[in-house]
Amino acid sequence: VKSEGPKLVPFFKATCVYFVLWLPTSSPSWFSALIKCLPIFCLWVFLLAHGINFLVSHRSASRILAGLIFSAVGDAFLIWQEQGYFIHGLLMFAITHILYSSAFGMKPLDLKAGLLMGVVSSSCYAFLYSYLSGPFTYLVAVYIALIGFMGWRAVAGVQLCNDLWTWTKLSACVGAMLFMVSDLTIALNKFCFPVPYSRFIVMATYYAAQMLIALSAVETRDEEDFRKRS
């Protein structure tokens, strides 16, 4: 963890810039979109500095990089969500969760974790259902299913009982849970009722989630290098 900390300094600085400027959401602009996306751009640089790109065969790490790219596009769309681009942002983040799920893989399966995430996801949708209308009735259902599946794959990678875990797998797990908290806060605030300090909660958990998931890509690359050498 200590060795990766200095490489994340640009990300931390960019995150501080976002919270210090705290540009109003009532007047969206390309500048506000840039400031919001800047921490994610820094995570791109962090992964590229580790040699993770689309020209090498590190599939899991490359999918996380791709997920960050779609996330940045989704962030930009959400800047103009009041102008009708909320669904566009929702689609970009749905693709992000598919890429992250693919990166985390299907082994170990851990059906108990899957069942738990299924119950949590179903409960969240059941609560939101009465507040939804029109296309959001099924769009939110699909999105919750995708992020719940992503959370399952992240949790399944942490086998604490069998000591089959690493700090990067744990970071992916915590990152996925924070992503779910961030998105649930968005949903509650948009569809149900005003959530106090919602923007701060959403962005703090979101940036932390993306950082932790990006950190998990470092190990996936190292594992694939080790298998090749073996």
Side-chain angles (χ1 to χ4, degrees):
V1 178
K2 291 181 180 179
S3 64
E4 302 300 336
K7 300 172 187 176
L8 287 169
V9 168
F11 165 80
F12 290 124
K13 288 183 176 179
T15 303
C16 288
V17 167
Y18 173 84
F19 285 106
V20 169
L21 292 180
W22 202 246
L23 298 173
T25 57
S26 57
S27 54
S29 66
W30 285 107
F31 179 69
S32 58
L34 174 64
I35 295 301
K36 185 181 182 183
C37 296
L38 193 58
I40 306 303
F41 294 158
C42 292
L43 292 177
W44 294 3
V45 175
F46 169 74
L47 292 183
L48 292 172
H50 279 277
I52 298 169
N53 55 61
F54 299 108
L55 301 179
V56 295
S57 58
H58 308 298
R59 295 179 181 178
S60 295
S62 295
R63 287 166 187 164
I64 290 178
L65 176 58
L68 287 170
I69 293 173
F70 277 99
S71 294
V73 177
D75 283 332
F77 276 130
L78 291 181
I79 288 288
W80 286 278
Q81 61 176 295
E82 298 303 325
Q83 286 71 37
Y85 288 95
F86 181 80
I87 292 179
H88 298 72
L90 196 69
L91 175 60
M92 292 300 103
F93 280 106
I95 296 172
T96 295
H97 297 318
I98 292 171
L99 288 166
Y100 286 170
S101 299
S102 178
F104 297 150
M106 291 301 297
K107 294 181 181 180
L109 192 60
D110 197 346
L111 293 177
K112 291 181 179 179
L115 178 60
L116 175 62
M117 293 307 301
V119 170
V120 171
S121 299
S122 299
S123 300
C124 290
Y125 181 70
F127 179 82
L128 292 169
Y129 181 77
S130 61
Y131 295 94
L132 302 174
S133 61
F136 286 113
T137 303
Y138 58 86
L139 288 175
V140 171
V142 173
Y143 187 86
I144 288 178
L146 289 174
I147 194 172
F149 185 82
M150 185 272 290
W152 169 31
R153 297 323 310 148
V155 171
V158 183
Q159 298 290 302
L160 295 175
C161 296
N162 301 323
D163 291 329
L164 298 176
W165 67 279
T166 62
W167 69 267
T168 47
K169 288 182 179 179
L170 187 60
S171 74
C173 176
V174 176
M177 295 302 101
L178 288 175
F179 216 135
M180 294 179 74
V181 170
S182 178
D183 282 356
L184 179 60
T185 304
I186 290 176
L188 291 174
N189 191 67
K190 183 174 181 63
F191 300 114
C192 304
F193 46 79
V195 177
Y197 307 106
S198 60
R199 184 181 171 192
F200 177 81
I201 295 170
V202 167
M203 297 311 298
T205 53
Y206 170 70
Y207 286 141
Q210 294 284 39
M211 179 196 69
L212 291 168
I213 291 173
L215 276 171
S216 73
V218 175
E219 186 184 51
T220 61
R221 179 181 184 274
D222 293 341
E223 286 177 345
E224 291 177 22
D225 283 342
F226 177 78
R227 285 197 294 269
K228 285 181 180 179
R229 289 195 298 269
S230 301

